[in-house]
Amino acid sequence: MKKLEEYPEITDDLVKYIAGSANFDERKKAKIWIAQNEQNRKYFDELKDVHEASVVSATGSDFNSDTSWERVKSRFYKRKSERLLNRQQENKQRDLKNQWFRIAAIFILAFTLGGFLIYYISDYRIKQQPVVFNEVLTPFGSRSSLVLADGTKVWLNAGSKLSYPVNFSEASRDVYLEGEAYFDVKKMTKKKFIVHASNININVLGTEFNVTAYPGEKTIQTTLVRGRIIIEGAGKWYSAIQSTELNPNQTATYIKNLNTLVTKNSEIEKKTQKIKAVNKEIKQLTITAKIDPIVYTSWKDHKWFIVSEELQSLATKLERRYDVKIIFTNESLKNYKFTGTLTDETLQQVLNIIKITSPIEYEIVNKNVTFKINTKSKKSYDELLINR
């Protein structure tokens, strides 16, 4: 809004009009000027307010334009001055408040950035630190069990090794197995449990299964008891097998070196093509359905179930279970099959059972067990088998 001095040509007429002492022409002129625009109207209203506040009561011929004008102007500027002072104080308080807000915001921002910086530095340091592994070794002649940090239970058979990180990563839970183990995996939907066993990886979410992956054996065997697992090739063997899902009461057998026959002998090289032709008929990974899982997993329990197992395979398990070395004096002995249940029997008791149920003699020297043919009982034993 303009100042009073910016309307010298109309101000006297307005003051007379407000005071009621204006003549016809002066009132007409004031009304026309007020109606010209909104700014004039606001100026008139403010002048009127100031006049009423100053209690100017000049009427008729007693009206003194100069005196009335000075009084109105004095009151007007006093009010303007008070308003300006109040506005300045309000602005000062608002600026002070805004300044405190800015300072607080700076502190909050600095604190937040500092927190993020500390977090990312700590996270970076953790990621840069080398992964530290725990390692559990179960010697021949013993079995062991443990519970991992995530709650997963593991049973280790004789001659086995399990390696696992002290702290699992955010993405997955990876363990590394050499030998045989039974896993009861704690379910974590967003964090897979992966068993790395030589040539294959076994991916699970929450399940129970058995893995046999001894370094010296030609196969890796996985038996599923409960849940779901996926078997994949690992490392350079990744493309050797397709991703295969295993269902409960199934066992998968992976042949390690089916496609990696290497020879330098010229006579054997002649047979290479024939060997390759045979290999094409053999699958790298085979699945056997509707099995009884207890036959594959009972090694960890009080009772060990053996079902129609050849002595050659059984002897390997006995070597690990009792920490001995078994020697065959005759290859034919390896083909005898045995079925039964062992309940924490000693080595001597197991060997006696073998002796009673087959034409086999045994001899123990230190930790060496030698199997021999019992020629006296072999003939009658063979006749019994034929007549069955």
Side-chain angles (χ1 to χ4, degrees):
M1 181 177 290
K2 292 185 179 182
K3 296 180 180 180
L4 292 174
E5 289 87 345
E6 296 179 5
Y7 297 111
E9 73 283 353
I10 193 63
T11 301
D12 286 346
D13 295 334
L14 292 176
V15 173
K16 290 180 181 181
Y17 178 66
I18 292 171
S21 60
N23 58 33
F24 177 81
D25 291 334
E26 290 170 341
R27 286 197 303 272
K28 183 179 180 180
K29 184 178 179 182
K31 289 180 180 180
I32 294 173
W33 185 86
I34 294 169
Q36 284 181 354
N37 53 59
E38 184 64 23
Q39 190 172 6
N40 290 356
R41 162 64 63 181
K42 289 181 179 180
Y43 177 76
F44 170 76
D45 290 339
E46 188 170 1
L47 193 63
K48 184 178 178 182
D49 291 341
V50 173
H51 177 272
E52 291 175 353
S54 63
V55 196
V56 178
S57 56
T59 59
S61 59
D62 294 331
F63 175 77
N64 188 319
S65 176
D66 292 336
T67 303
S68 181
W69 167 239
E70 291 300 326
R71 290 177 180 175
V72 170
K73 186 168 66 171
S74 174
R75 171 68 70 172
F76 178 84
Y77 280 117
K78 182 178 180 181
R79 176 177 288 188
K80 294 284 285 186
S81 177
E82 290 175 350
R83 289 180 180 176
L84 179 61
L85 182 60
N86 290 336
R87 192 178 297 114
Q88 288 176 344
Q89 289 178 345
E90 290 175 358
N91 291 340
K92 186 176 181 181
Q93 291 176 351
R94 185 170 59 251
D95 291 343
L96 183 61
K97 187 182 294 184
N98 291 338
Q99 185 176 1
W100 278 110
F101 280 137
R102 285 194 296 269
I103 293 173
I106 292 172
F107 274 110
I108 293 172
L109 180 61
F111 181 79
T112 304
L113 290 176
F116 278 117
L117 185 61
I118 292 172
Y119 170 80
Y120 282 112
I121 290 176
S122 300
D123 185 58
Y124 175 79
R125 287 178 177 175
I126 291 172
K127 290 181 179 179
Q128 293 302 311
Q129 290 177 354
V131 180
V132 180
F133 281 85
N134 286 325
E135 194 173 84
V136 178
L137 294 169
T138 306
F140 290 118
S142 66
R143 286 164 290 167
S144 63
S145 63
L146 66 149
V147 179
L148 303 181
D150 66 334
T152 295
K153 299 176 183 178
V154 185
W155 289 260
L156 285 177
N157 205 349
S160 301
K161 180 176 73 172
L162 183 72
S163 301
Y164 57 95
V166 173
N167 296 305
F168 287 124
S169 70
E170 295 181 359
S172 62
R173 297 167 287 168
D174 296 77
V175 300
Y176 300 82
L177 174 67
E178 292 181 13
E180 186 170 20
Y182 184 91
F183 295 90
D184 182 358
V185 178
K186 185 74 172 180
K187 186 173 182 179
M188 297 177 68
T189 306
K190 296 182 180 180
K191 202 169 186 178
K192 286 185 177 181
F193 189 95
I194 304 175
V195 179
H196 301 266
S198 185
N199 300 25
I200 67 171
N201 292 334
I202 303 166
N203 298 275
V204 306
L205 289 177
T207 182
E208 292 186 49
F209 61 100
N210 194 85
V211 182
T212 305
Y214 285 99
E217 293 189 351
K218 297 178 181 179
T219 62
I220 301 173
Q221 194 171 62
T222 306
T223 303
L224 182 61
V225 177
R226 174 183 60 83
R228 184 174 67 94
I229 62 177
I230 297 175
I231 300 174
E232 298 176 335
K236 62 181 180 181
W237 296 280
Y238 179 78
S239 59
I241 61 172
Q242 293 182 342
S243 179
T244 304
E245 182 176 333
L246 209 61
N247 295 316
N249 301 328
Q250 290 184 339
T251 184
T253 303
Y254 174 81
I255 302 175
K256 291 181 182 179
N257 300 315
L258 180 63
N259 297 322
T260 57
L261 294 175
V262 179
T263 177
K264 294 183 179 179
N265 188 299
S266 58
E267 293 183 3
I268 298 179
E269 284 178 356
K270 296 177 182 179
K271 302 178 182 180
T272 301
Q273 296 302 321
K274 183 178 179 180
I275 293 173
K276 288 183 178 180
V278 173
N279 286 342
K280 288 181 180 179
E281 300 175 3
I282 303 173
K283 293 183 178 180
Q284 188 100 42
L285 181 71
T286 57
I287 296 178
T288 305
K290 297 181 180 180
I291 54 93
D292 185 357
I294 198 170
V295 177
Y296 300 86
T297 65
S298 63
W299 58 265
K300 68 181 179 62
D301 300 321
H302 183 60
K303 290 185 178 182
W304 179 20
F305 293 89
I306 301 169
V307 178
S308 190
E309 186 160 3
E310 291 185 347
L311 185 56
Q312 180 179 9
S313 171
L314 181 59
T316 301
K317 295 178 180 179
L318 292 174
E319 286 180 331
R320 296 179 184 134
R321 193 177 185 92
Y322 296 103
D323 191 19
V324 294
K325 176 66 177 177
I326 295 178
I327 303 168
F328 290 90
T329 59
N330 191 303
E331 289 294 312
S332 64
L333 300 178
K334 297 179 179 180
N335 299 324
Y336 286 110
K337 293 184 178 180
F338 295 86
T339 297
T341 303
L342 300 178
T343 308
D344 292 336
E345 277 81 0
T346 65
L347 174 63
Q348 190 83 41
Q349 290 172 327
V350 174
L351 294 177
N352 286 335
I353 293 172
I354 293 174
K355 179 180 179 179
I356 293 171
T357 56
S358 67
I360 296 175
E361 291 280 356
Y362 70 88
E363 182 183 20
I364 302 176
V365 179
N366 296 324
K367 286 190 175 185
N368 294 323
V369 178
T370 303
F371 284 142
K372 303 176 182 179
I373 296 178
N374 185 335
T375 55
K376 293 180 181 180
S377 62
K378 186 177 186 308
K379 184 177 180 180
S380 59
Y381 183 83
D382 290 344
E383 288 176 357
L384 179 64
L385 292 177
I386 292 172
N387 294 329
R388 280 186 176 180

